[in-house]
Amino acid sequence: MTDAVGSIDTPDAQDEVPEKKARKGGKRAKKGPLKRLATFYRQIIAELRKVVWPSRNQLTSYTTVVIFFVAIMIALVTVIDYGLNHAAKYVFG
């Protein structure tokens, strides 16, 4: 019997897929642990070269903003703690 595609008895050419032999470890199986470690560190250095580092002025201003923000948060938490401490002493006094 035949249809528009071809014979039912014979498979189409696209249905025949040769089976590939599975590799045991992929690309890593060929390299030793020291070579893989060296490759890892080379990739780290390559990525660090892509980073846009801040200038000295930017770094100074960012640091100043962070220190100022932390000081404000410390003051805020201290005031809240002091207030809650006195409120607890008043209630349970």
Side-chain angles (χ1 to χ4, degrees):
M1 270 195 180
T2 61
D3 56 9
V5 176
S7 174
I8 295 176
D9 297 331
T10 59
D12 294 334
Q14 59 193 358
D15 292 342
E16 296 177 15
V17 178
E19 299 211 11
K20 290 185 178 180
K21 203 174 188 182
R23 289 208 279 179
K24 203 169 193 180
K27 292 181 181 179
R28 284 197 239 177
K30 296 179 183 178
K31 296 181 181 179
L34 291 178
K35 285 189 178 184
R36 282 189 282 153
L37 190 62
T39 303
F40 177 69
Y41 283 118
R42 269 191 246 114
Q43 289 173 349
I44 289 175
I45 291 170
E47 288 297 323
L48 285 175
R49 286 187 180 135
K50 295 178 188 177
V51 173
V52 179
W53 297 99
S55 66
R56 190 178 249 331
N57 290 336
Q58 290 173 330
L59 189 63
T60 304
S61 65
Y62 295 160
T63 304
T64 305
V65 168
V66 168
I67 290 173
F68 184 70
F69 178 76
V70 168
I72 289 176
M73 292 309 294
I74 288 172
L76 181 66
V77 168
T78 302
V79 168
I80 291 172
D81 184 49
Y82 183 76
L84 289 175
N85 186 17
H86 279 287
K89 283 183 182 177
Y90 178 76
V91 170
F92 298 111

